[in-house]
Amino acid sequence: MTTTVSTTERNKQVVREFIDGLFSDGDLGAVDTYLAEDFVNHDPPFGVTPDREGMRTAGRHMRAGFPDWRSELHALIAEGDIVVERFTASGTHRGEAMGVPATGRRVTLPGINIFRLRDGLIVERWGQLDELGFLRQLGVVPA
């Protein structure tokens, strides 16, 4: 019996592998593997550029500040070329992050990402991350 994976299921797999690769494993090459050349990040986190290099920079900065950074998936929903991810990422602040020296504190960053895929690659991202809560945990913004 032959099993065929639907495009929708494959798109979900691509998103999961990208997030795990870049953010949980710290593999900066995941940007080249999973993001299309014309990738556009409509809501770039923490002021990075809205392109592939911006995503690579975000991954590099998170791993530098939080070497144990992991993304916990709560939901992964797909329809057609759209995949929605709800997650909570967390890590221990062991290196400089957002200009703040290591505190040793465990911080969390909940969020929702919406990805659009084309031909097995991510071409667009929209996101809603709790950046304010994250910055408060680091002490950048008063609680």
Side-chain angles (χ1 to χ4, degrees), residues 3-59:
T3 347
T4 305
V5 177
S6 72
T7 300
T8 302
E9 287 303 311
R10 176 66 186 133
N11 286 347
K12 287 169 65 174
Q13 182 180 351
V14 166
V15 166
R16 181 76 258 152
E17 289 174 3
F18 170 66
I19 295 299
D20 284 346
L22 182 60
F23 293 105
S24 292
D25 299 336
D27 175 11
L28 300 179
V31 167
D32 302 314
T33 303
Y34 297 104
L35 300 184
E37 288 285 334
D38 59 344
F39 169 79
V40 175
N41 191 344
H42 296 281
D43 302 299
F46 304 109
V48 299
T49 58
D51 54 10
R52 285 168 39 134
E53 288 312 307
M55 287 301 285
R56 192 183 324 271
T57 298

Side-chain angles (χ1 to χ4, degrees), residues 45-108:
F46 304 109
V48 299
T49 58
D51 54 10
R52 285 168 39 134
E53 288 312 307
M55 287 301 285
R56 192 183 324 271
T57 298
R60 182 182 303 113
H61 286 208
M62 293 314 287
R63 297 302 293 188
F66 309 89
D68 61 345
W69 194 254
R70 307 294 293 167
S71 185
E72 179 186 351
L73 179 66
H74 302 301
L76 194 61
I77 303 160
E79 184 170 334
D81 62 352
I82 300 293
V83 177
V84 179
E85 171 206 28
R86 187 175 65 83
F87 68 94
T88 301
S90 61
T92 309
H93 186 200
R94 298 198 187 283
E96 184 181 319
M98 312 294 157
V100 177
T103 62
R105 287 189 218 135
R106 185 116 181 117
V107 299
T108 61

